């Protein structure tokens, strides 16, 4: 797909997805209601809180932008909750509100601003952890627990008294010490959270799994589910715990602040979370939230944010409530690890080895504190398995430092014309057909001329095990590719010394001048390229980088087909018949050798004098100008970087003998740097000593230079 086509396509799907705001709102409402039901009534959510919140957010924003679609029954207007029929309904002493969310520090600041504006200055606040459990209301009469209920829809909850009695650390009777704090007789409704510790949740799920049953999605659902059991014995068997933090009607107590309430609840015998702080500045609120984010993972129970409350009850009353939440409190939510966003395009990337990877291009969203706009989709099967389509609203996950992942589409929000995605038939980089081998998940571009793979292929060709072009390293190859001068392996053989010496290395010296490769290196490289023209056919075949054709396989192949002509004439069956070559390798080799671009490169290699056959081996190729001479090598060849073995092989290739010790019969000693006793012996015996320069001259001319 070309760039332009991609853009056109984007705009179309984007427009389609958002053009009809009314329809989108309706879709979102239905989807949210469905998930609310699964969450509150079934205690079995299908999507994470983050994904749910992000749908809710989108709906809220759309409703704000399109007030014409206002509906009092929209999920945005209600306190999340559900009243089941299994339990008797309980009307709460006062409404159990939801909390407004601050999704980031900016929104948290906006709330602090509102408090400040309201009072003309900032007032004391209390920071508490937002316990991720199930809301409960506990009614005490004459200091005894008389009723316990869930939040339900905020006005009416479910009577779970029998179950709640089994929850440890809920006092069935308030302690004497606290009775002074009670202002009037009557029913005192206290509120808090029932939760399941993380370890108990894991144990519960492990036990369920062992019995082949489905576990709970998270500790909060486990808590809610355990509380809403028909049989209190089941609830009792679950390790539930509680934290209390609120009173339905503060006039029932002789207290004036939230801070005092927390102390009083503790005195009365409740479990009160110890991580609370009374603060007076914005900075302290931020610090508390940051600390909570850090400590979140190490707490024995789940928290999903921080609740900041105006401390004074009188000031709380002054600020009052909106339809769904108090104005005097805010829930700072932790950066969610899952969000929903639009999948705009699936782009195919070609890796350096020809592997095609589909990548999701998404409407940017902030997930777990960082913006996500792109995520790998791995391969076609993965996309089909997840049923992801361009135009889908998808759930993306990013936990901490983990790489973002597209989890799944929200099917009900799928545009009608969204099509099943398939890997394109041709490579987006070079346009050649792509192949997928049997039993493999990946598609590959096997064209030798594919620009996306150029660097890797060029380096492979030049590598030691292949054509061994000494000095042709990553930096130089990258510059050659970037300059457009070298695109495939055949181009190596068209480089000349001057041109190479002028290669811009993309760096500048202190004077600001471009650093060039320079003559010395260029000269050596050209020599190395030249030498590589005559490697064995097996090395060249390996160097072509054909998938599955490693060094050993290449040797087996060339033992049977010793020239490129013979190899190209073979059919797949012939190839599969070679020892060590199965059908898979044969297929890969055959397809490679019959892809037109590859054929073109092979022909150009031959034209440039690269021998793709074994009859012409290096030893027989070079004129035997050193016949009758014997050499001894000592010291290290710093300039050329050759090992002594390699240098010896070059001499032997020209007919010389190479031995390891100096004698009178030795014709020459070649002494590199830090030459040792052999040098001394040569001098003592009067054997002529050559330096590395002279050695290189021998390789170039075939003759020993005159001294
Ligand atoms: P939400 O359900 O997201 O609107 O958040 C409101 C709920 O947070 C309340 O109904 C409580 O169940 C829960 N919550 C957890 N910890 C606290 C806390 N420290 N103060 C107030 N509410 C809390």
């Amino acid at each position: 797909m070309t760039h332009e086509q991609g853009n056109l396509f984007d705009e179309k799907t984007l427009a389609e997805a958002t053009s009809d705001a009314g329809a989108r709102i309706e879709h979102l409402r239905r989807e949210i209601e469905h998930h609310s039901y699964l969450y509150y009534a079934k205690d079995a959510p299908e999507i994470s809180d983050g994904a749910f919140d992000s749908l809710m957010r989108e709906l809220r924003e759309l409703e704000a932008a399109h007030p014409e679609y206002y509906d009092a029954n929209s999920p945005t207007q209600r306190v999340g909750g559900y009243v089941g029929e299994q339990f008797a309904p309980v009307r709460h002493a006062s409404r159990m509100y939801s909390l407004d969310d601050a999704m980031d520090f900016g929104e948290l600041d906006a709330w602090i601003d509102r408090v400040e504006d309201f009072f003309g200055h900032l007032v004391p606040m209390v920071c508490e952890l937002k316990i991720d459990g199930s809301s409960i209301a506990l009614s005490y009469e004459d200091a005894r627990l008389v009723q316990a209920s869930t939040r339900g829809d905020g006005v009416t909850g479910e009577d779970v008294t029998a179950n709640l009695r089994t929850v440890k650390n809920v006092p069935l009777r308030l302690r004497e010490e606290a009775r002074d704090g009670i202002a009037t007789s009557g029913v005192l409704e206290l509120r808090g959270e029932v939760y399941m510790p993380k370890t108990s949740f894991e144990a519960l799920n492990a036990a369920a799994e062992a019995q082949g049953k489905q576990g709970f999605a998270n500790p909060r659902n486990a808590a809610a589910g355990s509380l809403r059991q028909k049989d209190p014995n089941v609830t009792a068997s679950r390790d539930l715990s509680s934290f209390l933090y609120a009173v339905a009607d503060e006039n029932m107590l002789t207290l004036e602040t939230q801070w005092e309430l927390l102390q009083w609840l503790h005195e009365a015998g409740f479990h009160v979370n110890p991580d609370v702080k009374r603060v007076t500045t914005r900075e302290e609120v931020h610090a508390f939230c940051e600390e909570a984010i850090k400590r979140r993972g190490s707490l024995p129970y789940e928290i999903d944010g921080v609740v900041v409350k105006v401390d004074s009850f009188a000031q709380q009353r002054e600020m009052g409530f909106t339809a769904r939440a108090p104005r005097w409190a805010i829930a700072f939510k932790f950066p969610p690890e899952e969000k929903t966003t639009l999948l705009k395009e699936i782009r195919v990337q070609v890796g350096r080895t020809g592997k095609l990877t589909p990548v999701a291009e998404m409407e940017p969203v902030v997930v777990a504190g960082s913006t996500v706009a792109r995520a790998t989709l791995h391969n076609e099967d993965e996309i089909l398995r997840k049923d992801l389509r361009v135009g889908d609203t998808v759930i993306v996950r990013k936990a901490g430092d983990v790489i973002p992942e597209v989890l799944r589409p929200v099917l009900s929000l799928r545009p009608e014309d969204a099509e099943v995605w398939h890997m394109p038939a041709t490579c987006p980089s070079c346009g050649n057909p792509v192949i997928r081998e049997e039993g493999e998940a990946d598609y590959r571009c096997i064209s030798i001329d594919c620009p996306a793979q150029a660097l890797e292929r060029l380096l492979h060709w030049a590598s030691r095990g292949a054509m061994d072009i000494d000095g042709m390293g990553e930096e130089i190859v990258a510059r050659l590719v970037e300059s457009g001068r070298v695109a495939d392996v055949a181009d190596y053989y068209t480089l000349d010394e001057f041109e190479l010496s002028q290669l811009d290395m993309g760096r500048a010296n202190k004077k600001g001048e471009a650093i060039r490769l320079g003559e010395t290196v260029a000269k050596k490289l050209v020599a190395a390229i030249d030498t590589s023209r005559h490697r064995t056919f097996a090395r060249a075949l390996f160097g072509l980088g054909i998938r599955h054709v490693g060094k050993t396989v290449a040797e087996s192949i060339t033992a049977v087909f010793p020239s490129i002509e013979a190899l190209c004439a073979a059919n797949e069956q012939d190839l599969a018949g070679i020892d060590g070559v199965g059908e898979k390798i044969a297929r890969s080799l055959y397809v490679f050798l019959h892809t037109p671009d590859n054929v073109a490169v092979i022909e150009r290699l031959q034209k440039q004098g690269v021998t793709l056959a074994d009859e012409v081996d290096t030893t027989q190729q070079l004129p035997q100008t050193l016949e009758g001479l014997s050499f001894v090598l000592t010291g290290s060849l710093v300039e050329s970087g050759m090992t002594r073995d390699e240098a010896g092989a070059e001499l032997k290739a020209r007919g010389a003998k190479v031995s390891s010790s100096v004698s009178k019969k030795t014709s020459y000693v070649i002494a590199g740097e830090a030459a040792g006793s052999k040098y001394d012996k040569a001098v003592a015996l009067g054997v002529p000593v050559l330096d590395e320069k002279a050695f290189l001259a021998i390789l170039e001319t075939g003759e020993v230079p005159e001294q």
Side-chain angles (χ1 to χ4, degrees):
M1 188 191 289
T2 67
H3 193 61
E4 289 84 75
Q5 276 170 334
N7 277 348
L8 272 180
F9 194 42
D10 285 353
E11 277 159 27
K12 192 170 150 252
T13 45
L14 259 178
E16 275 172 6
T18 52
S19 70
D20 194 349
R24 179 81 181 168
I25 286 174
E26 203 33 56
H27 260 120
L28 283 166
R29 283 176 184 161
R30 255 187 278 143
E31 185 67 12
I32 290 168
E33 268 157 19
H34 169 66
H35 289 297
S36 291
Y37 172 76
L38 292 176
Y39 179 100
Y40 290 110
K42 295 275 185 213
D43 299 316
E46 277 171 5
I47 61 173
S48 71
D49 291 5
F52 183 84
D53 283 352
S54 133
L55 290 176
M56 192 68 124
R57 270 265 137 158
E58 189 189 344
L59 178 58
R60 261 197 217 124
E61 279 162 15
L62 273 178
E63 285 181 348
H66 298 276
E68 66 272 26
Y69 295 115
Y70 172 81
D71 182 347
N73 284 326
S74 168
T76 55
Q77 304 299 312
R78 278 183 280 158
V79 171
Y82 181 84
V83 189
E85 285 168 5
Q86 194 182 320
F87 301 93
V90 176
R91 246 189 118 75
H92 298 300
S94 69
R95 188 166 167 175
M96 282 180 91
Y97 285 91
S98 207
L99 289 170
D100 278 337
D101 293 333
M103 303 307 278
D104 52 40
F105 283 97
E107 292 186 8
L108 177 63
D109 278 340
W111 176 79
I112 299 175
D113 287 345
R114 285 202 294 279
V115 175
E116 201 168 10
D117 289 349
F118 189 87
F119 295 107
H121 53 88
L122 208 47
V123 296
M125 295 163 283
V126 174
C127 295
E128 299 172 16
L129 297 179
K130 188 167 188 297
I131 314 299
D132 203 6
S134 189
S135 238
I136 37 140
L138 306 174
S139 297
Y140 288 83
E141 203 169 1
D142 293 332
R144 285 167 190 279
L145 178 70
V146 290
Q147 193 167 52
S149 57
T150 64
R151 181 169 73 170
D153 64 7
V155 176
T156 309
E158 301 152 309
D159 186 340
V160 288
T161 313
N163 290 341
L164 202 106
R165 283 182 191 282
T166 72
V167 176
K168 63 170 183 281
N169 64 42
V170 168
L172 299 181
R173 182 194 278 259
L174 301 181
R175 290 174 67 211
E176 288 284 345
E177 294 89 318
R179 296 204 185 150
D180 282 353
I182 300 172
T184 54
S185 58
V187 178
L188 173 65
E189 187 177 318
L190 302 169
R191 293 172 179 175
E193 205 81 1
V194 164
Y195 68 91
M196 186 178 283
K198 288 176 188 170
T199 47
S200 313
F201 162 72
E202 277 151 24
L204 180 65
N205 265 9
E209 213 167 277
Q211 289 175 20
K213 289 189 200 152
Q214 176 117 27
F216 286 103
N218 52 47
R220 191 223 5 253
N221 290 111
S226 302
L227 202 55
R228 297 166 76 250
Q229 290 291 323
K230 268 192 209 141
D231 178 0
N233 290 315
V234 176
T235 311
S237 74
R238 307 271 167 91
D239 181 30
L240 292 177
S241 195
S242 67
F243 282 126
L244 272 267
Y245 46 72
V247 58
D249 178 1
E250 70 279 0
N251 294 315
M252 300 281 294
L253 299 172
T254 59
L255 314 170
E256 288 178 3
T257 65
Q258 172 68 13
W259 190 245
E260 286 171 14
L261 172 67
L262 294 174
Q263 321 301 317
W264 179 85
L265 285 167
H266 179 68
E267 274 167 29
F270 293 99
H271 200 197
V272 175
N273 193 288
D275 277 319
V276 288
K277 193 159 192 220
R278 187 168 183 271
V279 298
T280 49
T281 67
R282 186 184 298 263
E283 291 69 35
E284 286 174 296
V285 175
H286 280 224
F288 188 92
C289 293
E290 265 155 18
E291 186 61 27
I293 293 175
K294 271 197 227 135
R295 294 197 43 220
R296 177 182 194 185
S298 57
L299 289 169
Y301 45 84
E302 296 264 6
I303 57 173
D304 65 333
V306 166
V307 186
V308 191
K309 303 169 181 174
V310 166
D311 189 25
S312 146
F313 289 148
Q315 286 174 339
Q316 287 183 4
R317 278 192 294 272
E318 273 184 73
M319 287 192 82
F321 293 83
T322 66
R324 63 181 288 277
R327 290 199 181 86
W328 47 263
I330 190 88
F332 170 78
K333 288 277 186 88
F334 290 140
E337 294 179 334
E338 284 182 18
K339 282 269 186 80
T340 56
T341 189
L342 184 69
L343 177 60
K344 297 197 294 185
E345 190 195 337
I346 297 176
R347 204 166 44 80
V348 176
Q349 259 177 11
V350 188
R352 299 214 305 188
T353 55
K355 185 176 142 188
L356 268 59
T357 308
V359 176
E361 297 286 344
M362 297 169 285
E363 195 61 37
V365 269
V366 178
V367 193
S370 64
T371 303
V372 174
R374 191 164 296 141
T376 174
L377 297 174
H378 306 289
N379 54 52
E380 186 186 56
D381 287 353
E382 189 72 357
I383 295 175
L384 294 175
R385 188 179 64 75
K386 290 181 175 167
D387 188 18
L388 298 171
R389 302 185 189 183
V390 172
D392 269 341
T393 296
V394 291
I395 297 174
V396 250
R397 177 179 171 76
K398 185 173 184 300
D401 292 336
V402 176
I403 296 161
E405 183 191 2
V406 180
L407 289 181
R408 60 185 164 275
V410 181
L411 288 179
S412 58
L413 297 177
R414 169 169 286 169
E416 264 167 33
D417 56 356
E419 284 174 23
V420 175
W421 191 85
H422 286 293
M423 188 62 87
T426 55
C427 170
S429 175
C430 69
N432 276 298
V434 298
I435 60 154
R436 177 179 179 174
E437 284 167 21
E438 236 181 88
E440 295 215 357
D442 295 320
Y443 281 81
R444 283 174 189 276
C445 168
I446 53 148
S447 163
I448 200 172
D449 240 358
C450 178
Q453 303 168 57
L455 185 64
E456 186 75 2
R457 283 188 181 279
L458 286 162
L459 283 170
H460 178 68
W461 176 267
S463 70
R464 282 239 150 155
M467 302 305 262
D468 195 10
I469 306 181
D470 201 24
M472 196 63 89
E474 179 141 9
E475 193 189 2
I476 295 176
V477 177
R479 298 308 302 173
L480 285 169
V481 173
E482 274 163 38
S483 69
R485 184 56 186 80
V486 168
D488 59 48
V489 297
D491 290 335
Y492 275 142
Y493 299 92
T494 65
L495 293 166
D496 68 41
E497 219 173 285
F498 176 72
E499 192 187 7
L500 264 176
S501 70
Q502 294 304 304
L503 183 70
D504 184 343
M505 295 308 286
R507 294 180 269 129
N509 63 16
K510 279 187 192 142
K511 286 188 228 154
E513 300 157 346
I515 294 179
R516 310 214 169 255
L517 188 63
E519 275 169 38
T520 324
V521 185
K523 192 170 177 183
K524 263 190 268 165
L525 272 180
V526 169
I529 291 170
D530 209 28
T531 312
S532 79
R533 282 192 165 95
H534 311 292
R535 303 279 182 223
T536 60
F537 181 37
R539 290 175 78 157
L541 190 62
F542 169 61
L544 287 171
I546 304 166
R547 204 159 137 71
H548 306 309
V549 179
K551 238 174 150 176
T552 320
V553 170
E555 275 160 16
S556 313
I557 296 168
T558 55
V560 182
F561 297 101
S563 72
I564 193 80
E565 288 78 14
L567 190 58
C568 288
N571 62 29
E572 241 180 283
Q573 249 176 344
D574 297 336
L575 298 175
I578 304 172
D579 224 20
V581 177
E583 267 174 34
K584 189 169 161 182
I585 300 178
R587 170 100 211 118
S588 166
L589 182 60
Y590 185 85
V591 173
F592 184 94
L593 293 172
H594 295 86
T595 298
D597 277 358
N598 299 348
V599 174
V601 171
I602 289 168
E603 281 171 1
R604 279 174 44 234
L605 277 171
Q606 287 184 302
K607 246 191 229 147
Q608 294 298 333
V610 179
T611 45
L612 299 173
D614 262 342
E615 296 91 42
V616 273
D617 202 343
T618 28
T619 39
Q620 286 148 33
Q621 250 275 316
L622 293 171
Q624 304 293 290
T625 47
L626 305 179
E627 214 161 2
L629 297 178
S630 76
F631 290 79
V632 172
L633 290 144
T634 176
S636 51
L637 302 171
V638 187
E639 203 182 325
S640 65
M642 274 189 201
T643 64
R644 262 185 263 161
D645 278 350
E646 285 167 342
E650 293 288 348
L651 294 169
K652 281 188 208 157
R654 289 163 177 81
K657 262 199 189 154
V658 178
S659 56
S660 55
S661 57
V662 183
S663 73
K664 272 193 184 156
K665 285 186 200 156
T666 308
S667 320
Y668 297 97
V669 167
I670 294 172
E673 242 168 59
S677 61
K678 288 180 198 164
Y679 176 87
D680 300 337
K681 196 162 179 194
V683 174
L685 294 174
V687 175
V689 178
L690 304 176
D691 59 10
E692 188 176 356
K693 224 185 207 153
F695 165 71
L696 291 172
I698 296 176
L699 298 195
E700 215 173 288
T701 62
E703 309 286 342
V704 178
E706 278 184 31
Q707 297 292 297

